[in-house]
């Protein structure tokens, strides 16, 4: 049976760059992008064309940043999609390859971030579970010093993006994927949890971390968009939103404290 014809719109590198500029992306800025390739339409050139279009819109002085998370670098006891048999857990922990920023692929964030990760000149932060990759003149400044016990907090690229006046671009992605909101979780009372992962030199390690969750981020994003300036538009076939990292973090601090308090049960002292 022949494959169905592609659905539109037809999207090219040039049309992406044009759409991004119309949305408000500025040459020379620093942009944290959360994306969905399938939402854009039929992209001639796939994720490569998307990255090229983003870089065209940002220009040579701009910096492109994407999440390159590796959630499978985690304790198999917590895996749910799919779970693995309990009798496998110890063997998985003993043999899981440790994180290597040069070779460990991203997972769960889509094909566009993985394309950025492997792009010539890309730099990647060192956290084994919540890394970011960046391209551009500020890439090293953003990715260096990502502390191994700070997934998305003050010693992560998110805090540097806030300081640098970066903006978030949601390109066919929803607010539930907005990592900037997680930085707010480090600034309000939050539980701490033990996080297991392969150790850099081999074996298994456990660190104590702030508990993070995207629960209710959709509601948070709806309220943020209602109350704060957010540039909205269409890029290709995708809904797109553009807003400052700092605005998102400041709003999330207040909203989460009021609507999603999590200080009830602390297995460890709050940060």
């Amino acid at each position: 049976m022949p494959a169905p014809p592609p659905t539109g719109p037809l999207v090219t590198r040039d049309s992406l760059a044009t759409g991004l500029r119309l949305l408000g992306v500025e040459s020379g800025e620093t942009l944290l992008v959360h994306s969905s390739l399938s939402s854009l339409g039929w992209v001639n050139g796939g994720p490569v064309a998307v990255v090229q279009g983003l870089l065209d819109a940002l220009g040579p002085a701009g910096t492109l940043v994407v999440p390159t998370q590796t959630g499978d670098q985690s304790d198999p006891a917590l895996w749910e999609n799919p779970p693995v048999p309990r009798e496998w857990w110890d063997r998985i922990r003993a043999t899981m390859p440790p994180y290597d920023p040069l070779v460990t692929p991203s997972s769960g964030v889509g094909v566009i971030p993985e394309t950025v990760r492997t792009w010539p000149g890309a730099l990647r932060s060192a956290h084994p579970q919540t890394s970011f990759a960046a391209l551009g003149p500020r890439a090293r400044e953003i990715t260096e010093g990502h502390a191994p016990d700070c997934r998305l907090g003050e010693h992560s690229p998110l805090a540097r993006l806030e300081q640098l006046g970066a903006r978030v671009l949601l390109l066919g992605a929803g607010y539930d994927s907005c990592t900037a909101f997680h930085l707010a979780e480090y600034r309000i009372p939050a539980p701490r949890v033990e996080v297991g992962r392969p150790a850099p030199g081999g074996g298994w390690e456990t660190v104590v971390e702030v508990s993070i969750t995207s629960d209710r981020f959709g509601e948070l994003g709806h309220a943020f968009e209602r109350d704060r300036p957010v540039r909205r538009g269409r890029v290709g076939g995708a809904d797109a939103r553009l807003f400052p990292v700092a605005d998102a973090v400041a709003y999330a601090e207040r909203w989460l404290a009021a609507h999603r308090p999590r200080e009830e049960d602390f297995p460890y002292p709050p940060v």
Side-chain angles (χ1 to χ4, degrees), residues 112 175 240 242:
I112 295 171
Y175 282 104
L242 183 66

Side-chain angles (χ1 to χ4, degrees), residues 76 79-84:
W79 295 354
E80 296 180 349
N81 192 26
V84 294

Side-chain angles (χ1 to χ4, degrees), residues 55-137:
L55 294 175
D56 290 344
L58 289 169
T63 300
L64 171 62
V65 185
V66 295
T68 50
Q69 298 171 3
T70 46
D72 48 359
Q73 293 265 309
S74 59
D75 193 336
L78 303 177
W79 295 354
E80 296 180 349
N81 192 26
V84 294
R86 186 183 187 93
E87 59 268 24
W88 291 8
W89 293 355
D90 288 343
R91 182 65 175 158
I92 288 173
R93 294 185 188 113
T95 59
M96 185 181 292
Y99 171 74
D100 183 334
L102 295 177
V103 301
T104 304
S106 59
S107 61
V109 290
V111 67
I112 295 171
E114 180 65 3
T115 303
V116 173
R117 182 189 75 80
T118 59
W119 204 268
L123 299 177
R124 189 182 191 187
S125 69
H127 196 284
Q129 293 165 323
T130 55
S131 64
F132 292 77
L135 280 166

Side-chain angles (χ1 to χ4, degrees), residues 172-234:
Y175 282 104
D176 56 341
S177 67
C178 180
T179 51
F181 288 156
H182 287 295
L183 181 54
E185 293 183 294
Y186 285 73
R187 297 177 177 174
I188 60 176
R192 300 181 77 186
V193 294
E194 290 187 344
V195 178
R197 64 197 185 199
W204 194 256
E205 67 178 7
T206 301
V207 297
V208 176
E209 251 283 13
V210 171
S211 174
I212 56 176
T213 174
S214 57
D215 180 48
R216 300 190 70 182
F217 275 14
E219 294 175 62
L220 165 56
H222 177 78
F224 171 66
E225 192 169 291
R226 178 195 64 212
D227 295 341
R228 300 293 301 159
V230 175
R231 300 200 65 148
R232 297 183 58 183
R234 300 277 288 181

